[in-house]
Amino acid sequence: MKTWASAILILVAATSSWATTYYVNNCVFRSDENIGNDSNNGVSISTPWLTLARVNAQTFHPGDFVRLEKTCTWRESLTVPSSGTSSNPVTFGAYGTGASPIITGANNITGFSMVTSNVWDTSVATRPYVVAVAVHPPKAMTASKAALAAPGDWYWATGILSIYATSDPSGTVEAGARDNPVSTNNQTYVTLDSLDIKHGNLPFGTAHGTLKVGFTNVTGIVIHNSIIEGGSANGIDIHGTTTHDFTITNSVIQNNGGWGVFVNNPGYTFGTIGNSTVAGNGWASVTYGQQFAGIEGYLGNISIYGNTVYANGPVCSVLHQCHGIYGLEDTNVANIYNNVVYGNPTGSGIKIIGSANVYQNVIYGNYDFGIGPGQNRLGSSVVYNIWGNIIHDNNTSNSGGGIVEQSMVGPVSLSIYNNTLYNNSGSANQELFIDDVVSVLNVENNILYTPNLLRRTIRVSHPQTGTVIINNNIHWRPDGNPNISYNGANVTWAQWQALGYDTNGINGDPLLSNPSARNLWLQFGSPAINVGANLGTAYERGLDRSSVWPSAVVLDNQNTYGWEIGAYVYKP
């Protein structure tokens, strides 16, 4: 019996050693490498396959690798034909040297002739939804041929593609022709590594994404070290009614017409979007009448960490509604941390409707709020924990503040702990805004610093009749008047404390290191040192002033003599 059991274990352990590595090459010829042929066996660099069509026709086994030659471009689609297992995924990656292999939904266009000054025409039969010209990132099609006015502008009608260019653009134009350059095709346990996937050609609402993950099944999908860029609709569209898990790490998702990453269904056991750059997405918002964001969807049980999220929503069909990160209503909890979210020009940095932990992010320079919890219109019970964030110079639209709670429906718990808010809200409004009666409201250990004498530190629109603690916060405006608004009226510091709020709070300069340079940690002698409330082990790790986002966020334990107020732990 032991012999048979041992044999079975050996067979199971050996499964991955039977895996095969396949090679695909359509551009590189060297002494040790050949350009591919689909009649080859594909199992060595001297006998590679040529096309993705050959890959799509193959049955792969758990642990198999398919490697595409670097520097090559495939103008066809990869439709994953086989699943792996949790311990032995099927992996699509790269080999060789140079730039990542490209799988594109676009064709390179030549044969232009100039028809008027700086306007060039050529015949293109397939209707492109994305066109990229030379170094210019994609942009929406102009309203007419007559509207072509700047490099990168394009227009298509009745089989004619028109481009604005100062010289013949032939060979520099990529025009969309295929919908999903890569689809996981409902296969499970699939890894995509070191690929450049670009220019999916599809109208919003049809085939969804340049990288289409799922449509019914999303389990064990890993996207790593890859670039997903320049599609007409979503960059990565994660769409599963049978859902389990996905991972996106160390990738760049940029310049897509729709959402950079869209999670289309709730119910994931877990998911990860980490250590990636999400930028410049949403340029087709007005074209499709959608409010596109960098990362959006049902983010419950998903960890979003270590990302750089910026410049999403360059245009927006509804101003104020194209955000950096946007979590829709979800009964599970999203975790959003250690990100830098900045410069999203038509919406908030982080907007959350469903339950979320949002912590230790740097959020600045966004058009609307830094963080906006609320708008849970379905009335489901939600819990928001917002702590340890650095939030500054947001709300250039002058419509709200640094943290803005609004439009809550149903039972809500909102905890705002140990954040540092500085110079949010343009020329008016406030650093922190509580617009509703919140079931459970905790606002503790925050620095609310407004350098502009037209602004206020906090506004609470209604008397709070639920469970409420607002205490141990530092309020500061340089004239010494925090200009607090409560129940529609301005109140003095003494009146604020008489309401039972900030009885252990401070109306005074927190002595930040160099706020004009946005060095917002504490200097020696700060009144924020050792006077904060002890909020328990879940929140005891604060920021070290050496932290660099998003790659090197350093945490320190709160001092045993007392907690600091604000996001940073003081160190001499």
Side-chain angles (χ1 to χ4, degrees):
M1 290 295 292
K2 289 184 179 180
T3 301
W4 281 105
S6 298
I8 291 171
L9 288 173
I10 291 169
L11 284 170
V12 171
T15 298
S16 61
S17 68
W18 296 343
T20 302
T21 298
Y22 297 89
Y23 299 88
V24 193
N25 180 353
N26 71 3
C27 73
V28 174
F29 180 82
R30 289 191 286 260
S31 60
D32 60 337
E33 293 189 47
N34 292 317
I35 293 176
N37 186 312
D38 285 346
S39 298
N40 290 340
N41 60 19
V43 298
S44 75
I45 61 175
S46 60
T47 60
W49 293 332
L50 178 68
T51 69
L52 297 182
R54 179 65 183 85
V55 175
N56 297 340
Q58 181 72 14
T59 299
F60 297 107
H61 299 96
D64 283 354
F65 286 82
V66 181
R67 300 196 184 279
L68 279 60
E69 175 73 63
K70 290 183 176 182
T71 73
C72 294
T73 296
W74 281 267
R75 298 184 185 278
E76 52 180 321
S77 296
L78 170 63
T79 303
V80 175
S82 307
S83 294
T85 65
S86 59
S87 57
N88 290 293
V90 174
T91 300
F92 297 83
Y95 75 102
T97 59
S100 295
I102 294 171
I103 304 174
T104 178
N107 291 334
N108 185 260
I109 306 301
T110 59
F112 284 92
S113 58
M114 189 167 66
V115 292
T116 61
S117 178
N118 295 331
V119 176
W120 303 73
D121 283 0
T122 194
S123 296
V124 174
T126 301
R127 198 278 198 218
Y129 293 93
V130 60
V131 172
V133 182
V135 298
H136 306 288
K139 60 175 78 173
M141 187 175 76
T142 59
S144 67
K145 187 172 180 176
L148 297 172
D153 284 356
W154 64 281
Y155 182 75
W156 181 93
T158 60
I160 300 297
L161 176 64
S162 302
I163 298 293
Y164 183 100
T166 56
S167 60
D168 185 355
S170 294
T172 70
V173 176
E174 297 284 321
R178 291 167 294 280
D179 50 15
N180 307 117
V182 176
S183 170
T184 63
N185 193 33
N186 290 317
Q187 306 299 336
T188 60
Y189 300 109
V190 173
T191 296
L192 304 173
D193 188 4
S194 302
L195 303 176
D196 187 346
I197 306 166
K198 64 198 313 181
H199 295 156
N201 189 60
L202 55 155
F204 175 78
T206 54
H208 298 282
T210 289
L211 172 51
K212 180 181 176 182
V213 177
F215 199 76
T216 59
N217 198 332
V218 178
T219 300
I221 305 300
V222 176
I223 302 155
H224 186 60
N225 292 328
S226 291
I227 303 170
I228 296 89
E229 61 181 336
S232 63
N234 302 339
I236 302 176
D237 190 273
I238 302 169
H239 199 135
T241 53
T242 301
T243 60
H244 189 269
D245 65 274
F246 67 89
T247 300
I248 302 168
T249 57
N250 298 97
S251 293
V252 176
I253 303 101
Q254 64 184 8
N255 298 330
N256 296 283
W259 292 286
V261 180
F262 189 71
V263 183
N264 218 310
N265 294 88
Y268 287 86
T269 303
F270 68 88
T272 294
I273 304 171
N275 300 325
S276 295
T277 297
V278 183
N281 301 287
W283 50 262
S285 174
V286 174
T287 301
Y288 298 128
Q290 296 288 324
Q291 294 80 59
F292 295 130
I295 300 169
E296 182 169 332
Y298 298 93
L299 304 180
N301 292 335
I302 296 172
S303 293
I304 300 172
Y305 66 89
N307 301 289
T308 301
V309 181
Y310 69 96
N312 297 285
V315 296
C316 192
S317 63
V318 180
L319 196 59
H320 307 283
Q321 294 188 21
C322 295
H323 311 297
I325 299 173
Y326 188 12
L328 302 180
E329 193 150 0
D330 198 325
T331 56
N332 296 310
V333 179
N335 290 286
I336 303 170
Y337 60 98
N338 293 6
N339 303 283
V340 56
V341 184
Y342 70 95
N344 294 284
T346 56
S348 299
I350 300 175
K351 175 67 180 173
I352 44 174
I353 298 178
S355 295
N357 298 315
V358 182
Y359 57 100
Q360 293 160 349
N361 303 280
V362 168
I363 307 162
Y364 67 93
N366 298 288
Y367 181 73
D368 268 351
F369 324 140
I371 302 175
Q375 295 185 321
N376 57 323
R377 300 179 184 89
L378 300 180
S380 56
S381 177
V382 292
V383 177
Y384 303 114
N385 296 309
I386 300 170
W387 80 91
N389 299 283
I390 307 296
I391 306 168
H392 66 86
D393 297 285
N394 296 285
N395 208 222
T396 58
S397 65
N398 202 32
S399 63
I403 298 177
V404 176
E405 173 280 319
Q406 61 181 359
S407 303
M408 300 286 199
V409 179
V412 173
S413 174
L414 173 61
S415 296
I416 301 173
Y417 296 145
N418 283 98
N419 301 281
T420 296
L421 288 80
Y422 177 82
N423 198 43
N424 297 283
S425 199
S427 62
N429 293 310
Q430 53 280 313
E431 299 296 324
L432 173 59
F433 183 18
I434 306 298
D435 195 33
D436 297 297
V437 178
V438 180
S439 308
V440 178
L441 176 64
N442 300 296
V443 181
E444 301 182 72
N445 292 357
N446 301 284
I447 292 175
L448 309 175
Y449 187 154
T450 176
N452 189 312
L453 300 185
L454 297 176
R455 293 199 292 265
R456 59 180 66 89
T457 59
I458 188 171
R459 175 182 173 188
V460 180
S461 293
H462 305 283
Q464 295 298 307
T465 58
T467 301
V468 56
I469 299 174
I470 302 177
N471 207 357
N472 294 93
N473 302 290
I474 291 182
H475 300 245
W476 181 238
R477 199 174 73 167
D479 64 353
N481 174 16
N483 194 27
I484 294 169
S485 176
Y486 180 79
N487 196 26
N490 289 346
V491 297
T492 66
W493 181 250
Q495 290 170 330
W496 176 247
Q497 290 187 309
L499 291 166
Y501 301 138
D502 279 314
T503 56
N504 295 317
I506 297 169
N507 177 27
D509 189 342
L511 295 180
L512 304 180
S513 176
N514 188 351
S516 62
R518 304 311 187 255
N519 298 330
L520 302 180
W521 50 84
L522 307 176
Q523 62 174 286
F524 177 76
S526 168
I529 299 171
N530 292 345
V531 298
N534 186 326
L535 302 175
T537 56
Y539 307 101
E540 69 180 359
R541 302 277 280 166
L543 297 172
D544 187 279
R545 68 186 182 192
S546 68
S547 293
V548 177
W549 280 263
S551 58
V553 179
V554 180
L555 303 180
D556 295 323
N557 284 321
Q558 292 284 356
N559 195 312
T560 55
Y561 298 104
W563 284 41
E564 263 73 279
I565 295 175
Y568 285 100
V569 173
Y570 174 71
K571 294 183 73 174

